[in-house]
Amino acid sequence: MEKYVIIGGNRLSGTVRMSGGKNSVLTILPACLLSKGACIIHDVPRLSDVYVMKDVLKCLGAKVEFTDNTMIVDASNITMVELPDRLTRMMRASNLVMGPILARFHHIIMAYPGGCSIGSRPMDQHLRGLKILGAEIVEKYGYIEAKTNGLVGNEICLDFPSVGATENLVMAATLANGITTIRNTAREPEIVDLQIFLNAMGAKVKGAGTDVIKIVGVKELGAAEHTIIPDRIEASTFMVIGAITQGNIFIKNVIAEHVETVISKLREAGIEIKEYDNGIRVKCNKRPRSVDFKTMPFSGFPTDVQAQVMGLMTVSEGTSIVTETIFENRYKHVDEFRRMGADIRVEGRVAIIKGVKSLSGAYVESSDLRAGAALVVAGLAAEGATVVDNINLIDRGYEGFEQKLRRIGADILRVDGGKERH
Ligand code: EPZ
């Protein structure tokens, strides 16, 4: 397994550019399946999850070219409506092809996407919404088969603002016959980015970013060109890195309003954050103050930044209380922080963190993408060497992570069974 070896204690400083947003590209690539033409997507991050999604699209018969950070997806000739188990188990977001394929080809069979270490992650909201749009759905032998004679617009009210269910249902409704109104939708920026792309293809979607989205179905969608919005979770991670290393980092390619809640929480912790037209500067020259936070759907505090800010709180002055409301099992990083000397107690969905003066380096293991990033955050500030294992999980969501970190002064190496790799 590849590992990071980090020597902590450097104050990181310099400029770093964020990549295109993983969670935007993972819904915009499936959206290309709705088009009879070739779509061109710019600022696509080179992430393992993106390569998996590329394999998913190719498995369905789409032609896909990926050069530098531009991907061309030509779904004019889809030959398959079945997704194999090996692909859907690799990445939950593969379930986002369901809405587009069902809407355009009226049939899809796919293995149930695996859960992962942060929770069971069922798809009931996705399937309930597709049934309301006229799909017949059979779930057996670990597979889901959905069929329709053609989706029909309808009124859907989500039980809670699921990001994936919102994306799947909006995409499905673009080719439904009639008008669809979806209420209690997720309001994440990635859904606004999806709406912009769908409308560029000829769809009629409005309301993304609010909790009601209205879609007027059209006969077919054409090709479009689009640039992915910056990755707000990567930007939040680097803000925490600037804070915990007591450095001075300028983050480019970030939309400040997408990270306002994280900025506000870090300012409450005493971190100096300034917003400019072309980026955000993070400066810190003292131990952070302890702050409490609760993860919420956007525009609340993002669950994908919970582990990273918890890492910062492990060395804060005071006690902080963290509540994870989105996933039922997103505290696997706590044991690993404890190995580094953190003082954390977990009671159900609540973690109580008593700040210590400093962490000590240790051998730690990533349990999921964001937990892995949080262990790197902690290792950058810990005394001595930290080895972070299972960093293939980090490669799912952070493009060129160690290169970006080294460019701002981090002492970090990727090793593969003892051999250094650059
Ligand atoms: C998206 O996952 C993101 N992934 C996740 O980011 C993010 O943590 C999550 O939204 C919440 O913001 C992508 O966009 C590819 P949900 P998604 O549907 O769509 C439950 C990362 O680190 N649920 O909003 O799967 C579910 O189990 C990843 O980049 C149901 O019960 O999230 C979870 O507890 C991790 N039934 C909660 O809702 C359903 O039908 C939120 O899920 C759907 C979801």
Side-chain angles (χ1 to χ4, degrees):
M1 264 311 181
E2 289 190 320
K3 304 173 177 59
Y4 279 143
V5 178
I6 302 164
I7 307 297
N10 296 3
R11 288 173 170 243
L12 303 193
S13 66
T15 298
V16 61
R17 182 191 184 276
M18 299 297 96
S19 298
K22 166 180 90 79
N23 291 346
S24 177
V25 82
L26 290 180
T27 186
I28 280 179
L29 290 182
C32 296
L33 294 167
L34 291 161
S35 166
K36 295 196 161 184
C39 294
I40 304 172
I41 316 296
H42 300 291
D43 224 359
V44 175
R46 303 190 79 83
L47 301 169
S48 51
D49 272 8
V50 171
Y51 287 106
V52 171
M53 187 58 86
K54 177 173 171 256
D55 288 347
V56 165
L57 300 181
K58 289 179 78 170
C59 169
L60 295 167
K63 283 209 271 327
V64 186
E65 280 167 54
F66 192 11
T67 318
D68 300 331
N69 288 100
T70 294
M71 196 176 272
I72 301 174
V73 180
D74 181 348
S76 50
N77 180 22
I78 293 296
T79 52
M80 269 266 281
V81 289
E82 183 164 349
L83 263 190
D85 191 282
R86 70 176 171 81
L87 281 176
T88 53
R89 277 185 177 282
M90 282 172 86
M91 180 181 67
R92 174 184 169 82
S94 53
N95 67 10
L96 294 174
V97 305
M98 185 168 252
I101 292 289
L102 187 62
R104 192 170 156 210
F105 302 99
H106 303 171
H107 187 202
I108 180 157
I109 302 171
M110 62 180 283
Y112 212 85
C116 60
S117 69
I118 58 178
S120 61
R121 308 185 76 182
M123 276 184 65
D124 55 297
Q125 297 297 305
H126 301 240
L127 302 179
R128 181 173 154 274
L130 291 173
K131 283 178 190 160
I132 293 171
L133 294 177
E136 266 169 64
I137 291 178
V138 174
E139 294 178 72
K140 61 182 177 187
Y141 315 123
Y143 275 77
I144 304 167
E145 179 166 17
K147 282 184 182 162
T148 175
N149 296 323
L151 297 178
V152 179
N154 208 334
E155 300 266 328
I156 301 169
C157 187
L158 294 177
D159 292 343
F160 58 85
S162 154
V163 173
T166 302
E167 292 164 344
N168 236 334
L169 297 172
V170 164
M171 290 190 282
T174 57
L175 294 180
N177 181 14
I179 295 173
T180 299
T181 303
I182 311 173
R183 297 182 192 287
N184 197 20
T185 44
R187 299 168 45 205
E188 271 69 3
E190 291 74 27
I191 294 165
V192 178
D193 206 27
L194 175 64
Q195 171 176 284
I196 292 167
F197 179 57
L198 290 170
N199 289 344
M201 291 161 79
K204 293 191 172 74
V205 184
K206 67 181 187 343
T210 74
D211 61 356
V212 180
I213 300 180
K214 203 180 271 289
I215 305 103
V216 179
V218 294
K219 281 267 164 288
E220 65 177 41
L221 292 180
E225 189 161 359
H226 185 78
T227 298
I228 301 289
I229 54 170
D231 195 313
R232 62 190 170 94
I233 308 301
E234 184 189 23
S236 301
T237 305
F238 272 90
M239 286 198 277
V240 176
I241 286 167
I244 202 168
T245 62
Q246 298 190 16
N248 181 342
I249 295 178
F250 189 69
I251 299 168
K252 295 178 81 168
N253 196 37
V254 52
I255 298 172
E257 73 186 76
H258 291 172
V259 290
E260 277 313 338
T261 315
V262 178
I263 289 174
S264 151
K265 195 49 75 174
L266 291 177
R267 281 178 176 152
E268 190 187 327
I271 314 304
E272 190 189 318
I273 298 184
K274 279 213 175 73
E275 298 170 28
Y276 298 87
D277 289 348
N278 63 338
I280 292 174
R281 181 170 295 282
V282 181
K283 267 167 82 173
C284 180
N285 51 22
K286 58 187 185 318
R287 267 180 84 182
R289 286 193 294 271
S290 297
V291 292
D292 300 340
F293 63 93
K294 181 183 273 199
T295 65
M296 299 296 280
F298 195 88
S299 55
F301 190 92
T303 174
D304 294 344
V305 185
Q306 177 254 105
Q308 300 91 310
V309 175
M310 183 188 284
L312 179 67
M313 289 298 104
T314 64
V315 292
S316 63
E317 277 186 296
T319 298
S320 81
I321 297 177
V322 175
T323 310
E324 171 57 57
T325 70
I326 306 291
F327 289 101
E328 72 267 23
N329 185 19
R330 200 168 200 176
Y331 282 141
K332 289 214 166 145
H333 39 282
V334 167
D335 285 344
E336 304 307 304
F337 282 143
R338 284 196 188 115
R339 287 168 180 272
M340 300 175 77
D343 179 349
I344 309 175
R345 203 172 73 247
V346 173
E347 289 171 11
R349 295 250 180 163
V350 177
I352 299 111
I353 302 108
K354 259 171 132 175
V356 295
K357 259 182 87 45
S358 70
L359 296 175
S360 57
Y363 171 87
V364 288
E365 291 189 354
S366 314
S367 51
D368 72 82
L369 150 68
R370 306 302 175 186
L375 293 171
V376 172
V377 165
L380 289 168
E383 280 166 22
T386 296
V387 175
V388 181
D389 209 345
N390 302 343
I391 60 173
N392 57 303
L393 292 172
I394 302 177
D395 295 340
R396 296 186 59 173
Y398 290 86
E399 182 184 42
F401 200 28
E402 68 269 24
Q403 288 85 348
K404 287 174 181 164
L405 286 167
R406 269 211 296 279
R407 214 169 293 140
I408 53 178
D411 185 342
I412 179 170
L413 276 181
R414 177 185 286 257
V415 294
D416 179 2
K419 288 191 301 306
E420 257 183 51
R421 286 190 50 206
H422 288 288

